[in-house]
């Protein structure tokens, strides 16, 4: 990617025009010139595109009147897909002004800190997978939170040596990891960005200062987490009379605006050193944690070598350990390939059965071997080797289960190449539903797949007083009981399930995908890829198709729409299902780089939106853009038009 750090006046004017005070989410897109989720390149009016609501896409059955039911959008010159229409609009506008995919992603994450503080933010961490088209390289900016230096393996045990109940653990100061997001954004910008931070952070500052309309999900999370909030969070998320904010209310967060102003001027140092760091550490210690200003000053991201796995005629490239996500996704899909899953229909008993069995095999190995690679030597190559996966797949029967699930047996881990004995298991518990994923692809073929989190919805419930941002409780992703590869250790990163992936075909990015949802991230992402590539569903239909989730132990959790007949049939094989469907798993955001166009899809389970960019103005998808892409795709270097 090429750098351009010289702010230009045109961009500044455009940014000002797009920042009305008190922003309504979809009206905001209108102010940007978006029609049906597509931004025009040259004209505010007259933008074209064929954004279709989820209800209009074959296979998408949407019954969520409070949301727009997702969108599948096509455009030629750029695409953003995120859970928040405001954030998608801001990011698409960055692309329109000539910024690249990383610039847009940085602006987007800062906006989400303001508009969706329940799911991610500067008090958390995440994983950004970046494809740099110029360099033809994938890099990974790993901003996972770390345990403070004062953390100990037994810190989540009570005085009797028993794990502190999960519901209590999530609110402890000890659960707060040293946040990584600001360092991650600043590092990504330094490595790949072309626009100055000062410009990219401005929409977030304006939103925090001027306010925006609280949406249904944010309001629900304020209500559900009220008991967990500290005083600062309650004050920030209530009106002048102390009433919790509801959908449609205006939310302003001047403290957060000030914090972002400091980061705007001082970069990462403004967050990790000085008064913000002092307040952050004091808040954590006040709640019983050990975090010090030295921990914050010591924080840095790692630049990781991505995990790569062949699957069908694609290469899946994603975040390696400390996320178990992409490795486990690839494991599941490659076992299913060995099992010939394509022989069975989309909603057949065999498809669900084989998916659950492949997941159970993968889960047993995940728990047995995976942890922070700075502390644990996990046999990733062995786990993903053809011979080992063939050996694991050979244990699966199409009409029987791997263990006696009715007797609550679990699946055993295997022994992959590179391992001579057990590592010991103690799986962390996880909630389901926090976190956020978004993707950006620009006209030059650069791509970002970024999953970002504060762990639980609303994190620890603690807001740093006077600073306006929520603190994560990421350290609950460690095992409470010492002994396994994922035990707490000082300066260690907890094992994650986040699965930001870019799927490549012939060396060119074709599909970006990721999701929130704790453990279910892995199965949501795996099933989206399965539905897209094995069952040939359109992107929006692929991510909307009902999914199932299991671990190495029964029962199978399922979304509404998995047919009763299929569930009953697998019970005859020995599967055990939850009686009732779960709330929707995950919230998958994808972008597909098609032969002639970019296709963006946002999951209907929240109010997300994909926004595309067409530089053709009133001509829409012009011949020129289409031809240029074909030529560039043919020479294997992605989009260069
Ligand atoms: N902390 C979780 C992880 O890293 C994500 C939280 C969630 O999505 O619920 O896997």
């Amino acid at each position: 990617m090429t750098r351009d750090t010289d702010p230009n006046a045109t961009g500044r004017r455009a940014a000002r025009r797009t920042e009305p005070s008190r922003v309504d989410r979809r009206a905001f897109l209108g102010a940007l010139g978006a029609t049906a989720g597509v931004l025009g390149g040259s004209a505010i009016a007259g933008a074209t595109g064929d954004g279709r609501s989820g209800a209009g896409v074959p296979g998408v059955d949407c019954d969520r009147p409070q949301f727009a039911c997702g969108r599948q959008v096509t455009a030629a010159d750029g695409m953003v897909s995120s859970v928040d229409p405001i954030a998608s609009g801001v990011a698409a506008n960055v692309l329109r002004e000539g910024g690249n995919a990383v610039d847009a992603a940085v602006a987007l994450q800062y906006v989400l800190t303001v508009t969706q503080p329940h799911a991610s933010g500067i008090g958390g961490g995440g994983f950004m997978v970046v494809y740099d088209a110029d360099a033809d390289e994938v890099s990974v900016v790993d901003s996972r939170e770390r345990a403070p230096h004062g953390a100990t393996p037994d810190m989540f045990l009570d005085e009797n040596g028993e794990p502190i109940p999960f519901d209590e653990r999530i609110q402890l100061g000890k659960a707060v990891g040293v946040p990584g997001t600001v360092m991650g954004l600043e590092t990504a910008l330094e490595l790949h960005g072309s626009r100055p931070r000062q410009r990219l952070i401005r929409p977030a500052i304006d939103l925090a200062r001027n306010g925006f309309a609280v949406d249904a999900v944010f309001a629900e999370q304020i209500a559900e987490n009220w008991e967990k909030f500290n005083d600062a969070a309650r004050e920030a998320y209530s009106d002048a009379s102390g009433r919790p904010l509801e959908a449609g209310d205006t939310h302003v967060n001047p403290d957060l605006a000030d914090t972002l102003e400091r980061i705007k001027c001082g970069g990462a140092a403004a967050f990790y050193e000085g008064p913000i760091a002092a307040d952050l550490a004091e808040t954590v210690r006040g709640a019983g944690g050990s975090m010090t200003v030295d921990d914050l000053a010591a924080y840095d991201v790692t630049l990781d070598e991505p995990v790569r796995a062949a699957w069908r005629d694609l290469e899946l490239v994603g975040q390696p350990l400390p996320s178990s996500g992409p490795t486990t996704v690839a494991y599941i899909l490659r076992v299913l390939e060995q099992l010939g899953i394509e022989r069975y229909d989309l909603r057949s008993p065999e498809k669900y059965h084989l998916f659950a069995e492949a997941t159970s095999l993968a889960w047993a190995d995940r728990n047995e071997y995976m942890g922070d690679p700075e502390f644990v030597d996990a046999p990733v190559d062995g786990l993903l080797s053809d011979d080992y996966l063939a050996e694991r797949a050979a244990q699966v029967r199409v009409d029987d289960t791997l263990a006696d699930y009715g007797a609550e047996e679990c699946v055993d881990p295997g022994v992959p190449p590179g391992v001579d004995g057990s590592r010991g298991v103690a799986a962390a518990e996880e909630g389901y539903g926090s976190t956020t994923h978004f993707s950006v692809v620009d006209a030059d073929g650069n791509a970002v797949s970024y999953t970002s989190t504060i762990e639980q919805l609303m994190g620890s419930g603690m807001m740093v007083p006077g600073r306006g941002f929520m603190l994560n409780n990421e350290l609950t992703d460690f095992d409470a009981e010492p002994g396994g590869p994922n035990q707490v250790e000082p300066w260690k990163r907890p094992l994650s399930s986040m699965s930001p992936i870019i799927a490549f075909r012939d060396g060119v990015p074709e599909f970006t995908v990721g999701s929130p949802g704790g453990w279910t991230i892995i199965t949501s992402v795996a099933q989206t890829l399965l539905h897209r590539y094995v069952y040939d569903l359109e992107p929006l239909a692929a991510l909307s198709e009902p999914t199932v989730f299991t671990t190495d132990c029964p029962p199978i959790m399922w979304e509404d729409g998995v047919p009763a007949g299929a569930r009953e049939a697998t019970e005859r094989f020995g599967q055990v299902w939850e009686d009732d469907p779960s709330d929707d798993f995950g919230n998958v955001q994808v972008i597909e780089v098609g032969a002639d166009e970019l296709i963006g899809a946002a999951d209907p389970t929240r109010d997300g939106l994909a926004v595309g960019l067409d530089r053709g103005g009133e001509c829409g998808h012009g011949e020129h853009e289409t031809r240029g892409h074909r030529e560039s795709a043919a020479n294997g270097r992605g989009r260069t038009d």
Side-chain angles (χ1 to χ4, degrees):
M1 289 178 216
T2 47
R3 291 178 62 81
D4 163 19
T5 47
D6 183 21
N8 74 59
T10 314
R12 231 176 236 141
R13 272 200 307 278
R16 203 166 294 138
R17 190 173 49 222
T18 61
E19 290 154 11
S21 55
R22 201 282 199 190
V23 172
D24 282 303
R25 287 166 190 266
R26 285 171 197 283
F28 182 77
L29 285 174
L32 287 172
T35 305
V38 177
L39 282 186
S42 55
I44 288 289
T48 61
D50 60 353
R52 285 173 290 162
S53 76
V57 174
V60 178
D61 181 13
C62 185
D63 182 22
R64 297 181 180 84
Q66 74 275 36
F67 298 154
C69 286
R71 279 271 195 274
Q72 183 162 296
V73 175
T74 61
D77 298 309
M79 185 64 70
V80 181
S81 180
S82 92
V83 69
D84 182 27
I86 298 176
S88 291
V90 165
N93 203 39
V94 170
L95 296 181
R96 179 167 62 176
E97 291 177 7
N100 65 30
V102 169
D103 297 323
V106 168
L108 201 160
Q109 176 61 73
Y110 278 126
V111 169
L112 288 179
T113 295
V114 179
T115 58
Q116 305 249 333
H118 44 281
S120 73
I122 59 175
F127 301 120
M128 187 194 289
V129 179
V130 180
Y131 175 69
D132 183 327
D134 272 349
D136 191 19
E137 271 173 15
V138 177
S139 59
V140 177
V141 181
D142 174 344
S143 58
R144 184 70 164 167
E145 300 92 327
R146 286 183 185 269
H149 287 98
T152 56
D154 61 357
M155 73 180 190
F156 290 129
L157 300 181
D158 64 18
E159 57 279 4
N160 302 317
E162 296 296 321
I164 297 169
F166 191 66
D167 286 354
E168 291 172 33
R169 228 184 293 157
I170 59 175
Q171 297 188 57
L172 301 175
K174 286 188 276 193
V176 182
V178 181
T181 296
V182 174
M183 193 67 85
L185 295 175
E186 293 303 304
T187 305
L189 207 52
E190 204 175 302
L191 292 173
H192 304 290
S194 74
R195 291 291 185 273
R197 168 208 326 124
Q198 288 85 341
R199 186 193 297 173
L200 299 174
I201 203 170
R202 190 176 301 132
I205 294 171
D206 289 340
L207 283 158
R209 210 173 287 294
N210 299 333
F212 61 94
V214 170
D215 74 359
V217 180
F218 186 6
E220 183 184 278
Q221 292 313 316
I222 291 172
E224 285 191 4
N225 290 287
W226 194 254
E227 292 306 315
K228 179 169 95 170
F229 285 155
N230 65 356
D231 289 346
R234 285 191 185 163
E235 195 181 325
Y237 300 140
S238 56
D239 66 13
S241 71
R243 175 186 62 86
L245 294 176
E246 292 174 359
D249 287 347
T250 298
H251 174 51
V252 291
N253 191 337
D255 290 343
L256 182 55
D258 290 346
T259 297
L260 295 172
E261 284 277 6
R262 284 176 180 265
I263 295 170
K264 180 181 110 180
C265 298
F271 183 85
Y272 291 95
E273 296 162 27
I276 296 177
D279 288 352
L280 197 164
E282 194 184 314
T283 306
V284 174
R285 281 206 313 283
S290 66
M291 197 181 298
T292 65
V293 288
D294 291 342
D295 288 317
L296 285 151
Y299 186 85
D300 204 355
V301 299
T302 56
L303 301 176
D304 300 345
E305 200 47 48
V307 62
R308 296 172 182 271
W311 176 59
R312 295 167 66 86
D313 46 2
L314 299 169
E315 185 184 37
L316 306 179
V317 182
Q319 171 66 45
L321 290 169
S323 185
S324 65
T327 304
T328 311
V329 168
Y331 183 127
I332 293 167
L333 291 173
R334 292 186 56 173
V335 167
L336 292 173
E337 193 175 8
Q338 302 256 5
L339 295 171
I341 186 133
E342 67 281 356
R343 286 176 291 159
Y344 305 104
D345 289 345
L346 179 64
R347 295 191 183 178
S348 64
E350 291 82 2
K351 183 244 186 177
Y352 295 118
H353 169 67
L354 294 180
F355 186 85
E357 295 291 83
T359 301
S360 297
L361 288 170
W363 221 271
D365 285 346
R366 171 197 187 274
N367 288 353
E368 182 78 4
Y369 297 113
M370 296 189 195
D372 182 343
E374 291 179 4
F375 291 76
V376 176
D377 188 15
V380 173
D381 291 344
L383 287 169
L384 292 179
S385 67
D386 290 341
D387 287 352
Y388 179 66
L389 291 177
E391 182 190 315
R392 292 293 267 170
Q395 297 169 28
V396 177
R397 298 277 166 271
V398 76
D399 58 357
D400 198 359
T401 48
L402 287 156
D404 186 351
Y405 300 144
E408 298 194 1
E409 279 181 21
C410 300
V411 172
D412 289 329
V415 184
V419 164
D420 45 18
S422 164
R423 304 290 169 92
V425 186
E429 290 173 66
E430 276 200 41
Y432 306 101
S434 184
T435 309
T436 197
H437 179 84
F438 57 89
S439 296
V440 185
V441 175
D442 68 24
D444 293 323
N446 302 305
V448 171
S449 185
Y450 186 1
T451 312
S452 181
T453 187
I454 54 170
E455 167 42 18
Q456 300 265 293
L457 286 158
M458 291 290 184
S460 59
M462 280 180 255
M463 178 178 278
V464 181
R467 305 296 175 188
F469 62 92
M470 301 302 294
L471 288 172
N472 72 82
N473 52 3
E474 212 70 48
L475 304 190
T476 58
D477 279 357
F478 281 121
D479 303 330
E481 290 183 75
N486 189 33
Q487 69 172 355
V488 184
E489 292 177 73
W491 214 235
K492 189 177 180 182
R493 296 163 296 183
L495 187 65
S496 171
S497 299
M498 295 193 286
S499 303
I501 286 177
I502 303 177
F504 284 73
R505 185 185 301 280
D506 301 328
V508 180
E510 180 170 290
F511 198 76
T512 70
V513 59
S515 176
W519 281 350
T520 69
I521 292 171
I522 291 174
T523 46
S524 293
V525 169
Q527 283 165 101
T528 299
L529 286 160
L530 186 73
H531 297 152
R532 177 71 190 111
Y533 285 102
V534 175
Y535 293 100
D536 206 23
L537 301 187
E538 287 193 40
L540 185 58
L543 62 82
S544 303
E545 175 64 22
T547 60
V548 297
F549 169 75
T550 191
T551 65
D552 50 329
C553 303
I556 301 174
M557 294 165 66
W558 52 285
E559 286 180 316
D560 218 1
V562 176
R567 284 182 278 121
E568 282 157 22
T570 68
E571 282 169 2
R572 290 194 284 278
F573 309 155
Q575 293 291 359
V576 176
W577 294 76
E578 288 279 8
D579 291 339
D580 299 312
S582 297
D583 284 346
D584 298 300
F585 301 133
N587 182 261
V588 180
Q589 313 292 337
V590 307
I591 297 175
E592 180 165 312
V593 184
D596 298 326
E597 63 195 2
L598 301 167
I599 306 168
D603 197 322
T605 56
R606 296 185 200 171
D607 202 17
L609 195 67
V611 178
L613 177 70
D614 265 332
R615 289 207 180 281
E618 292 179 18
C619 299
H621 311 291
E623 273 300 304
H624 173 72
E625 285 79 7
T626 304
R627 250 196 331 270
H629 174 50
R630 284 209 186 104
E631 283 161 10
S632 57
N635 69 22
R637 290 301 312 279
R639 299 173 60 86
T640 55
D641 46 325

Short mmCIF file of all heavy atoms in Angstrom, two decimals, residues 445-482:
data_model
loop_
_atom_site.label_atom_id
_atom_site.label_comp_id
_atom_site.label_asym_id
_atom_site.label_seq_id
_atom_site.Cartn_x
_atom_site.Cartn_y
_atom_site.Cartn_z
N GLY A 445 -7.37 -3.63 -4.22
CA GLY A 445 -7.29 -5.05 -3.85
C GLY A 445 -6.77 -5.29 -2.46
O GLY A 445 -6.60 -6.45 -2.06
N ASN A 446 -6.49 -4.23 -1.70
CA ASN A 446 -6.12 -4.43 -0.30
C ASN A 446 -7.35 -4.91 0.47
O ASN A 446 -8.46 -4.46 0.19
CB ASN A 446 -5.61 -3.13 0.31
CG ASN A 446 -4.43 -2.57 -0.44
OD1 ASN A 446 -3.42 -3.24 -0.64
ND2 ASN A 446 -4.57 -1.32 -0.91
N ALA A 447 -7.12 -5.77 1.43
CA ALA A 447 -8.25 -6.32 2.18
C ALA A 447 -7.91 -6.40 3.67
O ALA A 447 -6.77 -6.68 4.03
CB ALA A 447 -8.60 -7.71 1.67
N VAL A 448 -8.93 -6.13 4.49
CA VAL A 448 -8.79 -6.23 5.95
C VAL A 448 -9.90 -7.11 6.48
O VAL A 448 -11.07 -6.93 6.12
CB VAL A 448 -8.89 -4.84 6.61
CG1 VAL A 448 -8.95 -4.96 8.12
CG2 VAL A 448 -7.72 -3.96 6.20
N SER A 449 -9.54 -8.05 7.33
CA SER A 449 -10.52 -8.87 8.03
C SER A 449 -10.17 -8.74 9.52
O SER A 449 -9.10 -9.18 9.95
CB SER A 449 -10.38 -10.32 7.56
OG SER A 449 -11.37 -11.15 8.13
N TYR A 450 -11.03 -8.10 10.29
CA TYR A 450 -10.65 -7.64 11.63
C TYR A 450 -11.73 -8.04 12.63
O TYR A 450 -12.88 -7.64 12.50
CB TYR A 450 -10.51 -6.11 11.57
CG TYR A 450 -9.99 -5.40 12.81
CD1 TYR A 450 -9.62 -6.06 13.96
CD2 TYR A 450 -9.86 -4.02 12.80
CE1 TYR A 450 -9.12 -5.37 15.07
CE2 TYR A 450 -9.37 -3.31 13.90
CZ TYR A 450 -9.01 -4.01 15.03
OH TYR A 450 -8.52 -3.32 16.13
N THR A 451 -11.36 -8.83 13.61
CA THR A 451 -12.28 -9.15 14.70
C THR A 451 -11.77 -8.49 15.97
O THR A 451 -10.59 -8.58 16.30
CB THR A 451 -12.41 -10.67 14.91
OG1 THR A 451 -12.64 -11.31 13.66
CG2 THR A 451 -13.59 -10.98 15.83
N SER A 452 -12.66 -7.81 16.66
CA SER A 452 -12.28 -6.90 17.73
C SER A 452 -13.24 -7.11 18.91
O SER A 452 -14.43 -7.32 18.71
CB SER A 452 -12.41 -5.48 17.19
OG SER A 452 -12.05 -4.53 18.14
N THR A 453 -12.71 -7.02 20.12
CA THR A 453 -13.55 -7.46 21.25
C THR A 453 -13.23 -6.72 22.54
O THR A 453 -12.13 -6.18 22.71
CB THR A 453 -13.33 -8.98 21.48
OG1 THR A 453 -14.25 -9.46 22.46
CG2 THR A 453 -11.92 -9.29 21.95
N ILE A 454 -14.20 -6.72 23.45
CA ILE A 454 -13.90 -6.44 24.86
C ILE A 454 -14.35 -7.66 25.70
O ILE A 454 -14.63 -7.54 26.88
CB ILE A 454 -14.54 -5.13 25.37
CG1 ILE A 454 -16.04 -5.09 25.12
CG2 ILE A 454 -13.86 -3.91 24.75
CD1 ILE A 454 -16.73 -3.92 25.84
N GLU A 455 -14.43 -8.82 25.02
CA GLU A 455 -14.87 -10.11 25.57
C GLU A 455 -16.38 -10.13 25.81
O GLU A 455 -17.11 -10.18 24.86
CB GLU A 455 -14.02 -10.50 26.80
CG GLU A 455 -14.48 -11.63 27.68
CD GLU A 455 -15.03 -12.90 27.03
OE1 GLU A 455 -14.82 -13.18 25.83
OE2 GLU A 455 -15.72 -13.64 27.75
N GLN A 456 -16.88 -10.08 27.03
CA GLN A 456 -18.33 -10.12 27.23
C GLN A 456 -18.99 -8.86 26.68
O GLN A 456 -18.33 -7.83 26.54
CB GLN A 456 -18.63 -10.16 28.72
CG GLN A 456 -18.05 -11.34 29.42
CD GLN A 456 -19.05 -12.45 29.54
OE1 GLN A 456 -20.02 -12.30 30.25
NE2 GLN A 456 -18.82 -13.54 28.85
N LEU A 457 -20.29 -8.96 26.41
CA LEU A 457 -21.01 -7.74 26.06
C LEU A 457 -20.86 -6.74 27.21
O LEU A 457 -21.08 -7.09 28.38
CB LEU A 457 -22.47 -8.05 25.78
CG LEU A 457 -22.68 -8.74 24.42
CD1 LEU A 457 -23.98 -9.51 24.38
CD2 LEU A 457 -22.63 -7.74 23.28
N MET A 458 -20.42 -5.54 26.89
CA MET A 458 -20.08 -4.50 27.86
C MET A 458 -18.87 -4.87 28.72
O MET A 458 -18.64 -4.28 29.79
CB MET A 458 -21.27 -4.13 28.76
CG MET A 458 -22.38 -3.42 28.02
SD MET A 458 -21.89 -1.74 27.53
CE MET A 458 -23.44 -1.14 26.81
N GLY A 459 -18.10 -5.86 28.28
CA GLY A 459 -16.85 -6.22 28.95
C GLY A 459 -17.05 -6.49 30.43
O GLY A 459 -17.98 -7.18 30.84
N SER A 460 -16.18 -5.89 31.23
CA SER A 460 -16.23 -6.08 32.68
C SER A 460 -17.34 -5.25 33.32
O SER A 460 -17.59 -5.37 34.52
CB SER A 460 -14.90 -5.65 33.29
OG SER A 460 -14.68 -4.28 32.97
N GLY A 461 -17.96 -4.37 32.53
CA GLY A 461 -18.96 -3.43 33.08
C GLY A 461 -18.31 -2.19 33.65
O GLY A 461 -19.01 -1.27 34.10
N MET A 462 -16.98 -2.15 33.63
CA MET A 462 -16.27 -0.99 34.20
C MET A 462 -15.91 0.00 33.11
O MET A 462 -15.28 -0.37 32.12
CB MET A 462 -14.95 -1.45 34.85
CG MET A 462 -15.10 -2.03 36.21
SD MET A 462 -13.45 -2.51 36.81
CE MET A 462 -13.55 -4.27 36.63
N MET A 463 -16.32 1.24 33.34
CA MET A 463 -15.86 2.33 32.48
C MET A 463 -14.78 3.08 33.26
O MET A 463 -14.90 3.25 34.49
CB MET A 463 -17.02 3.26 32.14
CG MET A 463 -16.62 4.45 31.30
SD MET A 463 -18.04 5.48 30.87
CE MET A 463 -18.71 4.59 29.48
N VAL A 464 -13.73 3.50 32.57
CA VAL A 464 -12.70 4.29 33.27
C VAL A 464 -13.30 5.68 33.54
O VAL A 464 -13.64 6.40 32.59
CB VAL A 464 -11.42 4.41 32.42
CG1 VAL A 464 -10.37 5.21 33.18
CG2 VAL A 464 -10.88 3.02 32.07
N PRO A 465 -13.47 6.05 34.81
CA PRO A 465 -14.13 7.32 35.13
C PRO A 465 -13.43 8.50 34.47
O PRO A 465 -12.19 8.59 34.48
CB PRO A 465 -14.01 7.40 36.66
CG PRO A 465 -13.88 5.98 37.11
CD PRO A 465 -13.10 5.29 36.02
N GLY A 466 -14.21 9.33 33.86
CA GLY A 466 -13.68 10.53 33.21
C GLY A 466 -13.07 10.29 31.85
O GLY A 466 -12.66 11.23 31.17
N ARG A 467 -13.00 9.01 31.43
CA ARG A 467 -12.36 8.68 30.15
C ARG A 467 -13.34 8.10 29.14
O ARG A 467 -13.01 7.98 27.96
CB ARG A 467 -11.19 7.71 30.36
CG ARG A 467 -10.15 8.22 31.36
CD ARG A 467 -9.46 9.49 30.86
NE ARG A 467 -8.57 10.03 31.87
CZ ARG A 467 -7.96 11.21 31.75
NH1 ARG A 467 -8.18 11.98 30.70
NH2 ARG A 467 -7.16 11.64 32.70
N GLY A 468 -14.50 7.62 29.59
CA GLY A 468 -15.59 7.31 28.66
C GLY A 468 -15.51 5.99 27.92
O GLY A 468 -16.32 5.74 27.04
N PHE A 469 -14.56 5.09 28.26
CA PHE A 469 -14.51 3.81 27.53
C PHE A 469 -14.59 2.63 28.49
O PHE A 469 -14.19 2.72 29.65
CB PHE A 469 -13.27 3.71 26.64
CG PHE A 469 -11.95 3.76 27.37
CD1 PHE A 469 -11.33 2.60 27.78
CD2 PHE A 469 -11.32 4.98 27.62
CE1 PHE A 469 -10.12 2.63 28.44
CE2 PHE A 469 -10.10 5.03 28.29
CZ PHE A 469 -9.49 3.85 28.70
N MET A 470 -15.12 1.53 27.98
CA MET A 470 -15.32 0.32 28.77
C MET A 470 -14.05 -0.51 28.79
O MET A 470 -13.30 -0.56 27.82
CB MET A 470 -16.45 -0.53 28.15
CG MET A 470 -17.79 0.16 28.04
SD MET A 470 -18.42 0.75 29.63
CE MET A 470 -18.71 -0.80 30.50
N LEU A 471 -13.87 -1.23 29.89
CA LEU A 471 -12.73 -2.13 30.02
C LEU A 471 -13.14 -3.57 29.74
O LEU A 471 -14.22 -4.02 30.16
CB LEU A 471 -12.15 -2.04 31.44
CG LEU A 471 -11.41 -0.73 31.73
CD1 LEU A 471 -11.05 -0.65 33.21
CD2 LEU A 471 -10.15 -0.62 30.86
N ASN A 472 -12.27 -4.27 29.06
CA ASN A 472 -12.50 -5.68 28.73
C ASN A 472 -12.50 -6.56 30.00
O ASN A 472 -12.05 -6.13 31.06
CB ASN A 472 -11.39 -6.16 27.79
CG ASN A 472 -10.05 -6.30 28.50
OD1 ASN A 472 -9.80 -7.31 29.16
ND2 ASN A 472 -9.21 -5.27 28.42
N ASN A 473 -12.98 -7.80 29.80
CA ASN A 473 -12.74 -8.85 30.81
C ASN A 473 -12.17 -10.08 30.10
O ASN A 473 -12.57 -11.21 30.35
CB ASN A 473 -13.99 -9.17 31.62
CG ASN A 473 -15.19 -9.47 30.76
OD1 ASN A 473 -15.09 -9.50 29.53
ND2 ASN A 473 -16.32 -9.72 31.37
N GLU A 474 -11.21 -9.79 29.22
CA GLU A 474 -10.67 -10.83 28.33
C GLU A 474 -9.98 -11.96 29.06
O GLU A 474 -9.89 -13.08 28.56
CB GLU A 474 -9.66 -10.18 27.37
CG GLU A 474 -9.60 -10.83 26.00
CD GLU A 474 -10.86 -10.56 25.21
OE1 GLU A 474 -11.30 -9.40 25.14
OE2 GLU A 474 -11.42 -11.52 24.68
N LEU A 475 -9.49 -11.68 30.30
CA LEU A 475 -8.70 -12.72 30.97
C LEU A 475 -9.57 -13.88 31.45
O LEU A 475 -9.05 -14.92 31.85
CB LEU A 475 -7.88 -12.11 32.12
CG LEU A 475 -6.95 -10.95 31.69
CD1 LEU A 475 -6.01 -10.59 32.83
CD2 LEU A 475 -6.17 -11.26 30.42
N THR A 476 -10.90 -13.72 31.33
CA THR A 476 -11.77 -14.88 31.60
C THR A 476 -11.66 -15.91 30.48
O THR A 476 -12.19 -17.01 30.61
CB THR A 476 -13.24 -14.46 31.76
OG1 THR A 476 -13.66 -13.80 30.57
CG2 THR A 476 -13.43 -13.54 32.94
N ASP A 477 -10.98 -15.57 29.39
CA ASP A 477 -10.72 -16.57 28.35
C ASP A 477 -9.61 -17.54 28.77
O ASP A 477 -9.38 -18.54 28.10
CB ASP A 477 -10.33 -15.90 27.03
CG ASP A 477 -11.55 -15.41 26.25
OD1 ASP A 477 -12.68 -15.63 26.71
OD2 ASP A 477 -11.36 -14.80 25.18
N PHE A 478 -8.89 -17.23 29.84
CA PHE A 478 -7.95 -18.21 30.41
C PHE A 478 -8.76 -19.27 31.14
O PHE A 478 -9.88 -19.03 31.61
CB PHE A 478 -7.03 -17.55 31.44
CG PHE A 478 -5.89 -16.76 30.88
CD1 PHE A 478 -5.76 -15.40 31.16
CD2 PHE A 478 -4.93 -17.37 30.09
CE1 PHE A 478 -4.69 -14.67 30.67
CE2 PHE A 478 -3.85 -16.64 29.59
CZ PHE A 478 -3.73 -15.29 29.87
N ASP A 479 -8.13 -20.44 31.32
CA ASP A 479 -8.73 -21.44 32.20
C ASP A 479 -8.59 -20.98 33.64
O ASP A 479 -7.51 -20.52 34.03
CB ASP A 479 -8.00 -22.78 32.05
CG ASP A 479 -8.01 -23.25 30.61
OD1 ASP A 479 -8.97 -22.92 29.90
OD2 ASP A 479 -7.04 -23.91 30.21
N ALA A 480 -9.66 -21.14 34.40
CA ALA A 480 -9.57 -20.74 35.81
C ALA A 480 -8.64 -21.69 36.57
O ALA A 480 -7.96 -21.29 37.50
CB ALA A 480 -10.97 -20.74 36.43
N GLU A 481 -8.65 -22.95 36.15
CA GLU A 481 -7.83 -23.94 36.86
C GLU A 481 -6.44 -24.04 36.23
O GLU A 481 -6.34 -24.22 35.01
CB GLU A 481 -8.50 -25.30 36.83
CG GLU A 481 -9.74 -25.34 37.69
CD GLU A 481 -10.37 -26.73 37.71
OE1 GLU A 481 -9.83 -27.61 38.38
OE2 GLU A 481 -11.39 -26.90 37.03
N PRO A 482 -5.39 -23.93 37.02
CA PRO A 482 -4.04 -24.03 36.47
C PRO A 482 -3.74 -25.43 35.93
O PRO A 482 -4.39 -26.39 36.31
CB PRO A 482 -3.14 -23.73 37.67
CG PRO A 482 -4.02 -23.19 38.74
CD PRO A 482 -5.40 -23.69 38.47
#
